[in-house]
Amino acid sequence: MASAYDEVPYDTEANVETHPVAMATLARLAGLTPAPAWHARVLEIGCGDGENLGAAAAYLPEARFVGFDLAERAIELGKKTALANVELRVGDLATIEGLGAFDYVIAHGLYSWVPVRDELLRLLRASLAPNGVGFISFNALPGWRFRGSMRELMRDRTRGIDSPGDRVRTALGVVDELARGGA
């Protein structure tokens, strides 16, 4: 089930906003009663190599973490260093089933980019335990205006290029050209 994400890997990193302790704190401040983070079940949709889950798992060794991603290569890489309380799977958010209920569900960096937003929302909703807390990040204006313009310019210049690697190289060439003051 190789995907374009296997050819052009996405750089992942720990994200403090998605840490279960941070999510629990915000939920409590909003008047909710989330599960205690120290023994929670956490799902990350589109986890890449699981680096974000791994950082939280090291801090919360009694919690259970499950992540999945379309990128088979990233999942295999992440499995090599995953802690015992982290399970990484290859899966497509539009078709994955049988994950169970989670106290915290993370979808960081997906909503603005994937064409299957309804499926993402359906999966997040279906995966939440009764007092579960979901985290979805998205790019919004006005702060995203410059990035959005750059994205559209790169997409325009890469239209018709089939190879993901070639598309990335061409898009980065556009950025380099602009940085040098090009047309």
Side-chain angles (χ1 to χ4, degrees):
M1 180 206 293
S3 74
Y5 295 109
D6 288 314
E7 186 176 333
V8 182
Y10 187 83
D11 188 30
T12 61
E13 59 188 27
N15 185 326
V16 69
E17 291 91 1
T18 65
H19 194 286
V21 171
M23 291 173 64
T25 300
L26 289 174
R28 279 199 240 25
L29 289 171
L32 303 174
T33 54
W38 62 271
H39 69 98
R41 289 196 74 226
V42 180
L43 171 66
E44 184 168 13
I45 302 168
C47 68
D49 62 10
E51 188 174 339
N52 184 49
L53 291 178
Y59 185 77
L60 300 168
E62 294 181 40
R64 291 283 168 254
F65 296 83
V66 176
F68 73 90
D69 200 287
L70 196 56
E72 192 173 329
R73 193 167 120 196
I75 293 296
E76 292 309 314
L77 180 68
K79 283 181 177 180
K80 292 178 182 177
T81 58
L83 298 173
N85 59 337
V86 176
E87 176 188 343
L88 300 175
R89 302 178 186 182
V90 175
D92 184 332
L93 73 88
T95 59
I96 197 162
E97 294 179 355
L99 294 170
F102 293 86
D103 302 304
Y104 299 92
V105 178
I106 302 160
H108 177 59
L110 290 174
Y111 191 81
S112 300
W113 303 100
V114 298
V116 288
R117 291 185 185 112
D118 290 342
E119 289 87 343
L120 173 61
L121 295 174
R122 176 201 52 77
L123 177 61
L124 188 135
R125 195 175 305 113
S127 301
L128 284 173
N131 286 331
V133 178
F135 179 99
I136 299 177
S137 65
F138 60 93
N139 299 315
L141 297 175
W144 194 64
R145 185 168 305 281
F146 177 73
R147 284 186 180 186
S149 298
M150 289 297 293
R151 177 178 184 248
E152 289 306 313
L153 179 60
M154 289 185 286
R155 287 183 72 173
D156 183 62
R157 291 283 286 276
T158 59
R159 217 173 302 287
I161 300 174
D162 293 329
S163 163
D166 290 344
R167 278 198 312 265
V168 169
R169 282 185 284 284
T170 301
L172 291 175
V174 170
V175 174
D176 287 340
E177 182 181 330
L178 289 171
R180 290 190 316 270

